Amino acid sequence: MTSETAPAAEPKLKGWRLVAANLREPKVLVMLLLGFSSGIPIYLVGNTLGYWMRENAIELSTIGFLSWVGLAYSLKFLWAPLIDKLDAPVLGKWLGRRRGWMLLSQVIVAIALFGMANVQPQEGQLVLWGQTLDQLVVFGVLALVVAFASATQDIVIDAWRIEIASSNEQQGLLTATSALGYRGALLVTDSLILIFAAHIGWSLSYEVMAALMGVGILATFLAREPAASVQAAAASHGSMLSAQGIYDAIIAPFVVFFREHGKWALVMLLAISLYRLPDFVLGPMANPFYADLGLDKETVGAVRGSFGLLATTLGIAAAGLCAVRFGFFTTLMAGAVLGPGSNLAFSYLALHGADAGVFTAVMVIDNFCSGFAGVALIGYMSSLTSAGYTATQYALLSSFYALPGKVLKGMSGWTIEQLEVGRSLLEAYSLFFAGTALIGIPALLLCLVLAARRTGARAPAVE
């Protein structure tokens, strides 16, 4: 989907000249920074938070249940129509619709993260404004605020990325740039923060993470609003105060999607919803697993920040090259194998024990496969949106991509506790990780169906 077209009189660049021309555009740097801002909050209310909670002796089942705050990312399609149709309070008139919502969500994330840093996840009572409250409940509410505001930021950044691209080639570049920024943020919140926490404590580390939201705020001021024609496409559907406006904002994006793709729309949504399911289910238990395995935070952080970062970058690059050389659906299917297959490495690690060399190998495998599969899926979802409904449709797709996993992962801790009956804790972990790999099989089969359908649609008719 494009929002701008080059004048017909201008010569069309090709090959590396086209790549170089696109790389020089300011929007690429802005996308890198926005990708970083988008990636900062998600682990701070997910996997990394589980490490902090486990060190505070919080039960695995409680850690799993609290991971349900991440459902905000999967339910964002419910308020995405408002983001598409309405300006942010005050900021919208000053910065524009996309940038206004960006800034508002980023400020709220920073404030709520600062609150989490000072409340801390532990059992006990907290006196707040003269009221005695359960400290863990207050902490969970703040985590929910972070997740809600972060999901809102994702809605706007995804819409901005799709709308600001001037060509399909540039859309691919912006997608990869966003993925690099996002993965850079995950490096900080999934690895470097563990090193910080080992030296300065979890609370101060979370305050540092809150300050890093300033990167996104800077990017918001550097960004420009998408072309007026794109804004007009969304505005042309009528006022939200009218029945037609409500229909166009909330129902029409889904009607258009199903009308465009027909009966295959359900297959697409199902494939998207199952594609990263193994990763989501495993996610909340990864850091508690490292703690129970006996790996110290410095080792985990150092490996993730070095070998893990390199493997992620290689995975992202490999996905891009694979898409160019072998085609998009081949890349999508490869990611459907690599993603869940990497979970078997965790199963082996649980049985092998706390060996730094094996742990490093597991991180390399996991980060490469995650980087590869993530880029493949994001590119596929971006290609399915329609002009005028960018934010809502992409929010729908990214919600389906995460919803089943976000629901099921809340039971991950409880599942391990049940598997532990009659076994050691690490044996229970190993069985759990192997099980998460097996639930990736349906997604691969659906990708094969979609690829066969695409090949059949392109096949010439036989007279």
Side-chain angles (χ1 to χ4, degrees):
M1 196 191 81
T2 63
S3 58
E4 303 168 10
T5 55
E10 294 185 4
K12 187 174 181 180
L13 299 176
K14 295 182 179 180
W16 291 110
R17 294 178 63 189
L18 177 62
V19 174
N22 278 286
L23 285 172
R24 287 195 295 268
E25 293 203 34
K27 69 179 77 172
V28 176
L29 173 61
V30 171
M31 189 71 259
L32 181 69
L33 299 179
L34 288 176
F36 183 86
S37 179
S38 180
I40 284 292
I42 188 166
Y43 276 1
L44 300 179
V45 293
N47 297 358
T48 299
L49 180 58
Y51 212 135
W52 187 6
M53 295 178 69
R54 190 58 170 169
E55 285 200 340
N56 284 4
I58 304 298
E59 294 180 351
L60 287 176
S61 55
T62 301
I63 296 173
F65 296 147
L66 188 59
S67 73
W68 272 331
V69 302
L71 281 171
Y73 293 98
S74 301
L75 298 176
K76 60 188 177 184
F77 68 91
L78 295 176
W79 66 93
L82 300 178
I83 306 300
D84 249 349
K85 297 288 290 183
L86 301 177
D87 291 336
V90 182
L91 297 176
K93 295 188 180 299
W94 175 36
L95 296 172
R97 179 164 300 169
R98 299 306 186 206
R99 296 166 69 222
W101 281 114
M102 280 185 202
L103 182 58
L104 179 61
S105 60
Q106 289 159 352
V107 169
I108 293 175
V109 168
I111 292 173
L113 283 175
F114 186 83
M116 290 174 64
N118 287 273
V119 172
Q120 303 186 39
Q122 55 191 22
E123 302 287 352
Q125 300 298 311
L126 183 69
V127 178
L128 188 64
W129 296 312
Q131 301 293 321
T132 301
L133 304 170
D134 185 284
Q135 187 167 345
L136 199 55
V137 170
V138 174
F139 186 85
V141 170
L142 287 170
L144 180 59
V145 172
V146 171
F148 180 84
S150 174
T152 301
Q153 179 188 217
D154 289 351
I155 291 170
V156 191
I157 290 177
D158 287 331
W160 185 87
R161 170 177 55 80
I162 295 170
E163 293 172 351
I164 205 69
S166 58
S167 66
N168 288 331
E169 292 81 6
Q170 191 175 87
Q171 181 60 248
L173 175 62
L174 291 178
T175 298
T177 304
S178 175
L180 284 175
Y182 189 86
R183 287 290 172 176
L186 297 189
L187 165 69
V188 173
T189 59
D190 194 34
S191 58
L192 295 184
I193 192 174
L194 301 182
I195 300 175
F196 294 160
H199 291 87
I200 63 177
W202 282 106
S203 293
L204 188 54
S205 297
Y206 262 65
E207 290 180 357
V208 172
M209 298 302 108
L212 283 179
M213 289 303 298
V215 173
I217 293 173
L218 172 63
T220 298
F221 285 110
L222 292 176
R224 63 179 175 83
E225 280 291 289
S229 60
V230 177
Q231 296 292 338
S236 64
H237 302 302
S239 169
M240 280 287 288
L241 300 179
S242 67
Q244 183 63 38
I246 293 174
Y247 172 84
D248 285 331
I250 299 175
I251 301 175
F254 308 117
V255 172
V256 169
F257 179 81
F258 280 92
R259 182 184 300 153
E260 182 174 347
H261 300 290
K263 63 182 181 181
W264 289 101
L266 289 175
V267 181
M268 292 173 180
L269 290 176
L270 186 58
I272 289 170
S273 69
L274 297 178
Y275 195 82
R276 301 303 300 276
L277 181 61
D279 286 342
F280 279 115
V281 176
L282 181 149
M285 293 298 106
N287 282 326
F289 166 59
Y290 304 146
D292 290 335
L293 192 62
L295 291 166
D296 58 79
K297 293 193 291 294
E298 292 94 332
T299 299
V300 175
V303 171
R304 282 175 170 172
S306 54
F307 293 98
L309 173 62
L310 178 61
T312 296
T313 304
L314 290 175
I316 291 172
L321 293 174
C322 183
V324 173
R325 177 62 181 83
F326 301 106
F328 189 77
F329 270 89
T330 299
T331 306
L332 196 67
M333 287 186 288
V337 174
L338 293 174
S342 66
N343 290 11
L344 294 174
F346 287 91
S347 184
Y348 174 77
L349 178 62
L351 296 177
H352 184 84
D355 183 294
V358 175
F359 173 69
T360 300
V362 170
M363 288 297 96
V364 168
I365 294 170
D366 181 60
N367 282 272
F368 178 89
C369 295
S370 294
F372 189 104
V375 169
L377 183 60
I378 290 171
Y380 179 61
M381 292 191 298
S382 297
S383 71
L384 299 178
T385 61
S386 305
Y389 300 113
T390 309
T392 303
Q393 286 189 341
Y394 192 86
L396 168 68
L397 295 172
S398 58
S399 294
F400 268 88
Y401 134 70
L403 183 58
K406 292 291 177 66
V407 171
L408 290 177
K409 76 176 187 177
M411 303 300 296
S412 56
W414 177 86
T415 301
I416 292 175
E417 289 178 350
Q418 299 307 305
L419 290 173
E420 189 182 1
V421 177
R423 302 181 180 90
S424 70
L425 178 58
L426 292 181
E427 287 174 340
Y429 271 119
S430 182
L431 283 173
F432 171 75
F433 294 142
T436 62
L438 292 176
I439 61 177
I441 294 175
L444 174 61
L445 296 177
L446 288 169
C447 287
L448 290 170
V449 170
L450 288 172
R453 173 248 181 181
R454 183 183 179 90
T455 301
R458 288 183 171 182
V462 179
E463 296 183 359

